[in-house]
Amino acid sequence: MSLLRLAEAAAWIGGILLFGWIIRDAWRTSRAYDERLLLSSREGEIEKDLREVAAHLEQLEERIDRLPGSRS
Amino acid sequence: MSSPVQPAHGGHLSLLRVLGPGHVWALGVGIVLVGEFMGWNFSVAKGGALGSLIACWVIGLLYTCVAMIDSEVTSTVAAAGGQYAQAKHIIGPLMAFNVGLYLVMAYTMLEASDALVVGDLLKTVAERAGAPGLDARPFVFLTIALLAFINYRGVLVTLSVNLVITAIACAAIVAMFLATKPWSASNSLLHRDLLSGLPYGWMGVIASFHFGIWYYLGIEGTCQAAEEVRSPPRSLPFGTMAGMITLLIAATMTWYVCAGILPWEYLGTAVVPLFDAASVGSGDALQVALFVGTLFAAVASANGCINDASRAWFSMGRDRYLPEWFAAVHPRYRTPYRAILFLVPIAIAFGFTGLLDQVVTFSILSGLLGYTVMPLNIVLFRRKWPLGSIKRGYVHPWHPLPALVLFALCAVTYFSVYLGYGRQLLAMLGFYVLASLWFVFHRYRYVRRGAQFTMPWPRPRGY
């Protein structure tokens, strides 16, 4: 077998192994995790952020209220 | 990134913000730089060497407008999908679907072309080494599979690899330029003898615009990284503008060297013109440098294209313009792994055709359709959210002049493409019309339009 044919065979095998690894990992990942967790979403992100900020503000207000000499 | 990461909040995984301005530069320049090593020279066959230089600068102006407009909108609409996400927020779903499809097709075809170049280059080198008959297809397959593997394993490693190999490819162009000693009276450049005016007149110059696009095709891909850069308002405009400056300089240097060494009749048909220029009267070291530069440029381009095409496909899945299944993020590598995997066989299929100029033309046409939307995009963006009404990372100057120039140059370039590849132009337009009909009559019912508006801006009517 000439050097050229050897290089071609090595390239085929390398490509198949790499592509095969990707398919195998993608298959295993999809089976191992809950589909809802895997799916990315930006829907309602602003509302989510606002809710987090509001919750954080509430916590801050409670801490301020607990400080000695606070209005309440 | 060695262990699975829990979602930040809200029960969904997201892409990782790990990139800096250098990665953005590498993404943009990496995709495009292969165009300096091959492909641009087909413009010489259309309009002669001088016609190609005019195309280089006129199309450079087109892309400068693209970069200016893109930097403003992307630094404000920082979401994966780039121009697709912009069209979604600014124009509407049908336009967004089309823009997303233009992006995916442009980058996937470009990826296939790059893999073809790798195969052709290895074939050429084998022939020159006295071993003809190398089959390019296994190397096309290996290139795409290897780069898909790297992309699958993480964006930071993908674009860090791109940063290194793009820098090496850039250095090869500079080395070639310096080796010709343009400042010396005894240099080997023969511009006086080789430049023969405009062999096909001004019509030839306009025809050369088609492949003049190849000098810069893909620089707008920088904004696909919007969701993965640490500071989008700073990194995206800086990376894109620095990339555009790099490309303008590299394109002019490439033209100067090649037009001074190779006659235009040969230059217009060469597969790897810079490598050929290095082979004429240069030492072995420079030839090796140009071989490595060409190889790395093609690999960097394909690498960036896989990154960009998968982000656009992923974003369309996330918004339900395509099945939501494509919107999955890998829990360990935090990459859009299904989108990456899905596009690999398509790129391989186009790569196996071996028709470099046809595949490149489909890529150019898809890119051009995307650029044509940009003027409308920026005009509506400024009208719906005037300066001062929302926070912008960058404001491009002289609006609406860049939009008008971009639109006019796109129109001229369509005519240029029509002159050489009219049938392909009509076929491509037909494909997008059919895809639009599928979207309107079948897919649109799945799109929740109001819920996709993810920017903290005053919402325009209709959302």
Side-chain angles (χ1 to χ4, degrees), chain A residues 17-65:
Chain A
L17 285 177
L18 288 166
F19 193 43
W21 184 91
I22 296 175
I23 292 173
R24 183 173 151 271
D25 186 78
W27 174 257
R28 284 187 168 185
T29 303
S30 295
R31 288 187 56 145
Y33 289 88
D34 180 7
E35 185 70 5
R36 280 173 302 174
L37 172 81
L38 293 176
L39 293 183
S40 171
S41 174
R42 283 170 69 88
E43 288 180 4
E45 272 200 359
I46 301 168
E47 289 78 3
K48 224 183 302 171
D49 290 345
L50 286 175
R51 275 199 300 274
E52 278 179 12
V53 170
H56 188 62
L57 278 174
E58 265 181 35
Q59 281 178 352
L60 281 175
E61 277 178 7
E62 281 173 16
R63 285 170 64 182
I64 290 168
D65 288 344

Side-chain angles (χ1 to χ4, degrees), chain B residues 418-442:
Chain B
Y418 183 77
L419 289 175
Y421 291 81
R423 220 179 301 164
Q424 285 85 340
L425 177 63
L426 295 175
M428 207 70 184
L429 289 174
F431 166 75
Y432 286 119
V433 169
L434 286 177
S436 299
L437 289 173
W438 173 81
F439 178 74
V440 170
F441 290 111
H442 173 69

Side-chain angles (χ1 to χ4, degrees), chain B residues 79-417:
Chain B
Q83 291 85 357
Y84 154 76
Q86 298 163 14
K88 184 182 79 177
H89 284 94
I90 298 166
I91 303 178
L94 181 59
M95 183 59 86
F97 172 77
N98 273 284
V99 170
L101 216 51
Y102 301 157
L103 291 168
V104 173
M105 293 301 280
Y107 291 123
T108 307
M109 300 285 175
L110 193 51
E111 174 194 340
S113 313
D114 294 327
L116 267 168
V117 171
V118 172
D120 282 347
L121 182 67
L122 293 175
K123 203 172 168 181
T124 307
V125 169
E127 274 171 12
R128 289 186 187 177
L134 183 76
D135 184 3
R137 285 177 307 165
F139 300 98
V140 169
F141 178 50
L142 178 64
T143 304
I144 293 175
L146 177 64
L147 296 175
F149 176 78
I150 296 172
N151 269 272
Y152 189 96
R153 305 271 304 201
V155 71
L156 186 61
V157 68
T158 300
L159 295 188
S160 297
V161 166
N162 246 35
L163 187 59
V164 174
I165 59 180
T166 303
I168 293 172
C170 274
I173 294 179
V174 175
M176 179 70 198
F177 180 75
L178 295 178
T180 58
K181 297 177 186 165
W183 60 87
S184 163
S186 61
N187 67 49
S188 55
L189 299 169
L190 304 168
H191 289 106
R192 278 174 198 272
D193 304 320
L194 294 177
L195 289 182
S196 52
L198 301 175
Y200 303 117
W202 285 100
M203 193 54 99
V205 174
I206 290 174
S208 70
F209 285 8
H210 173 193
F211 286 106
I213 292 256
W214 198 234
Y215 278 114
Y216 313 98
L217 181 67
I219 182 67
E220 74 283 1
T222 50
C223 60
Q224 294 294 332
E227 223 169 293
E228 289 157 287
V229 289
R230 289 188 295 268
S231 169
R234 175 175 159 267
S235 299
L236 292 171
F238 182 77
T240 308
M241 295 295 189
M244 197 58 222
I245 292 166
T246 308
L247 291 172
L248 279 166
I249 295 169
T252 307
M253 283 163 90
T254 302
W255 177 90
Y256 184 78
V257 170
C258 289
I261 293 177
L262 302 170
W264 75 271
E265 294 90 340
Y266 176 78
L267 186 56
T269 56
V271 177
V272 279
L274 257 179
F275 182 59
D276 288 345
S279 305
V280 179
S282 301
D284 288 345
L286 199 61
Q287 282 187 49
V288 171
L290 264 294
F291 166 72
V292 171
T294 309
L295 190 68
F296 279 11
V299 169
S301 178
N303 199 23
C305 285
I306 295 174
N307 180 84
D308 284 359
S310 60
R311 266 60 180 178
W313 199 252
F314 160 81
S315 302
M316 290 170 79
R318 187 167 61 181
D319 296 330
R320 302 178 187 200
Y321 286 55
L322 295 170
E324 215 180 351
W325 186 80
F326 291 114
V329 174
H330 197 290
R332 184 183 296 267
Y333 306 122
R334 302 288 282 272
T335 51
Y337 72 105
R338 287 178 186 160
I340 292 171
L341 179 60
F342 178 75
L343 295 171
V344 168
I346 299 172
I348 291 172
F350 279 101
F352 277 8
T353 64
L355 304 169
L356 182 61
D357 66 327
Q358 300 284 342
V359 181
V360 167
T361 298
F362 281 131
S363 177
I364 287 173
L365 277 172
S366 297
L368 200 55
L369 284 164
Y371 308 146
T372 314
V373 177
M374 282 186 174
L376 176 66
N377 215 19
I378 188 68
V379 168
L380 285 176
F381 183 55
R382 285 278 182 110
R383 193 174 292 172
K384 288 181 178 176
W385 297 280
L387 292 182
S389 65
I390 56 171
K391 193 181 172 193
R392 287 166 158 84
Y394 167 79
V395 177
H396 83 277
W398 310 311
H399 176 77
L401 189 63
L404 294 173
V405 171
L406 176 57
F407 191 77
L409 289 176
C410 282
V412 176
T413 312
Y414 277 119
F415 178 64
S416 163
V417 175

